[in-house]
Structures are given as C-alpha cells and as structure tokens.
Amino acid sequence: MIGVRNVCKRFGSVEVLRDVCFEVQPSEKVVIIGPSGSGKSTLLRLLIALEEPDRGEILIEGQPFVCCDGDGRPVKRGKGFRELRSQMGMVFQQFSLFPHMTVIRNLLLAPTKVQGVDALEARRKALVLLEKVGLKDKADAHPEKLSGGQKQRASIARALMMEPKIMLFDEVTSALDPELIHEVLDVMQRLAAEGMTMVVVTHEMGFASKVADRVIFMDQGRIVEEGPPAQIFRNPKEKRTEAFINAVMTHI
C-alpha cells in the first residue's frame, strides 16, 4: 500500500533522512520509534506530501506518488497525486483544530468544502464518528472547552471524516498529560482492530508492542532495524537498537 524507496531529505546542511526504504502492506500497523531528531516526523510528512524528498520515490497503492532524481531536479508528482493524497489522513502532535469553530464544524469543513458532501449527510457522519471516539456530547463545544485528550480524539474523528485508507499518527500523545494518554491510545487501538492501515510515530512502547505488526527503529536519519515487536523489544539484532530499548524501558 505504501512504498518508500531510497528517500533522502535535507534541511540546509543537515541530512535528516538517508536512503530510507520500507513498505507498508494493506491493514498493516507499522510503528516507528527512535530518539528525537532521528527523522521520524519528517518521514511521515513526506508520506503525505507536506514535505518533498530531495531524492527517492514514494508509491501509494503501487502508483507513483512523488519522486525526485536528485541533483537539484524538481520533484515529480504522479498523475493520481490528488486522489492518492485524499486516501491518507494524518493526526499531528498539536491538535490543529480551528479554535473559532465548534467540534462538529471542524469535522464538517473538509467534506463539505473540499469533497462537496451534502451538509446533512456530513453532519450525520460526523455525529457517528464523534460517538465512536466518545465525544458526541461535545459536538457543539469549542476546542478551548476540551481537555487535551478530547482535542486529540476530535482530531482523529476529523481525519476519519475523509474516509482515508491510510492513517498517519505523529506522536499524538506527546503533548498530553499522562492520565489522558489512554483515551487516545484506546481509539487508535480500535482503529487498528478494525483493519485500518496505520503508520504511527510514538514513544509509547506499550502501544507499539501491543498493536504493531512491525516496529521500525530509526536513528540519525536511517532505518537501523525493523521487525515484529517481540524481536525489537526482546531480542534486537543491532546494538544501537538494544541501547535505545534498554534506555527507554528503564524509564517506563
């Protein structure tokens, strides 16, 4: 469903990603872990074309999405770029809800304005999704009246309004108080159980070990190791992976 081939990315003189290659199969849950600054969030932004690669190719459902040959040449977008991008939803670390709109208006904006969905149909769907994430009673509240966990659940519901086939999550619990984290992880676990294709950047190792089909460990812009959770967390092959896991687990 997702193919990443030899992707490189620089910001000025800093090489953020170096020849990154991996694939994500339909309904697969891939969790990306690693120290801060290892390129995880940049990789997610490339997958949804919020950033462009300096070299390499990204495919979605086997079709060219974006590619770049390097050497200063411009990025090429595939013929089906817009349609492919519409099949992906992303939830960010910061909630990114429009503060002047109610929760339900946040959900209705993209389907009605971008997709031209009938307003009544969109509202019906929004209420179903808000109930799914436990926020139906907050439909008419403004974001300032919500807790951090509620804001993040509303952000997930908003992304689901576009009926994505792939969901990307970028450290969505890192800005939350510890007691609110489970609210968001529970919603993500339900999505995973329903078969949603997911790529998740997180520091929540318990979630990764429980939900992931595959864990990717990144460091210094490259993939150091990938494999099933049992391998990565209990028997990593690379010393750098082992050092990271030991350090993280010590503080859990």
Side-chain angles (χ1 to χ4, degrees):
M1 180 160 267
I2 302 175
V4 178
R5 299 177 179 173
N6 303 111
V7 164
C8 299
K9 179 65 178 178
R10 283 182 175 272
F11 291 113
S13 62
V14 179
E15 192 174 28
V16 181
L17 295 172
R18 297 186 289 165
D19 290 316
V20 173
C21 299
F22 71 97
E23 293 187 353
V24 180
Q25 301 303 321
S27 299
E28 189 177 19
K29 272 61 74 175
V30 175
V31 175
I32 304 174
I33 63 173
S36 297
S38 58
K40 307 183 301 295
S41 295
T42 299
L43 179 56
L44 280 197
R45 292 175 68 84
L46 285 167
L47 292 183
I48 202 169
L50 292 175
E51 301 284 355
E52 295 184 333
D54 296 319
R55 190 171 73 249
E57 183 179 24
I58 297 172
L59 298 93
I60 304 295
E61 293 197 327
Q63 300 180 55
F65 185 52
V66 293
C67 67
C68 184
D69 296 330
D71 300 323
R73 297 176 186 174
V75 171
K76 297 178 182 178
R77 293 181 171 182
K79 292 182 179 179
F81 174 83
R82 289 183 179 275
E83 181 180 351
L84 292 172
R85 191 179 187 188
S86 72
Q87 295 176 13
M88 293 184 281
M90 185 165 179
V91 184
F92 301 86
Q93 177 179 344
Q94 300 301 327
F95 316 115
S96 302
L97 296 171
F98 293 111
H100 63 289
M101 293 183 176
T102 61
V103 169
I104 197 163
R105 285 297 303 157
N106 268 279
L107 268 66
L108 296 177
L109 185 62
T112 56
K113 299 299 184 183
V114 177
Q115 293 182 324
V117 176
D118 175 75
L120 290 177
E121 173 60 21
R123 183 177 179 84
R124 182 199 64 77
K125 181 178 176 182
L127 290 172
V128 170
L129 286 173
L130 287 174
E131 184 171 22
K132 182 175 184 176
V133 300
L135 288 177
K136 190 174 182 179
D137 61 330
K138 301 294 184 181
D140 296 318
H142 283 79
E144 65 180 12
K145 300 296 183 182
L146 305 182
S147 69
Q150 290 171 332
K151 290 177 185 177
Q152 202 59 288
R153 284 184 281 150
S155 297
I156 293 172
R158 182 177 62 177
L160 293 174
M161 283 291 292
M162 303 298 281
E163 299 185 349
K165 295 181 180 179
I166 302 165
M167 283 289 290
L168 311 176
F169 296 89
D170 186 14
E171 298 187 7
V172 295
T173 60
S174 61
L176 302 180
D177 293 333
E179 65 268 24
L180 300 178
I181 290 174
H182 74 90
E183 297 179 5
V184 177
L185 295 182
D186 285 348
V187 171
M188 293 170 65
Q189 286 182 230
R190 289 201 297 273
L191 284 177
E194 291 169 3
M196 175 67 74
T197 304
M198 297 166 61
V199 182
V200 183
V201 169
T202 186
H203 292 293
E204 299 296 330
M205 300 301 147
F207 172 84
S209 63
K210 184 184 299 184
V211 174
D213 297 306
R214 182 158 44 101
V215 176
I216 293 176
F217 171 63
M218 292 185 66
D219 188 33
Q220 297 183 350
R222 64 187 182 90
I223 293 177
V224 176
E225 184 172 355
E226 60 180 296
Q231 173 194 316
I232 299 297
F233 291 114
R234 298 175 195 167
N235 189 31
K237 297 177 180 178
E238 302 293 331
K239 290 185 178 180
R240 180 65 187 97
T241 311
E242 182 178 10
F244 175 80
I245 296 300
N246 288 340
V248 171
M249 294 304 187
T250 297
H251 294 91
I252 291 179

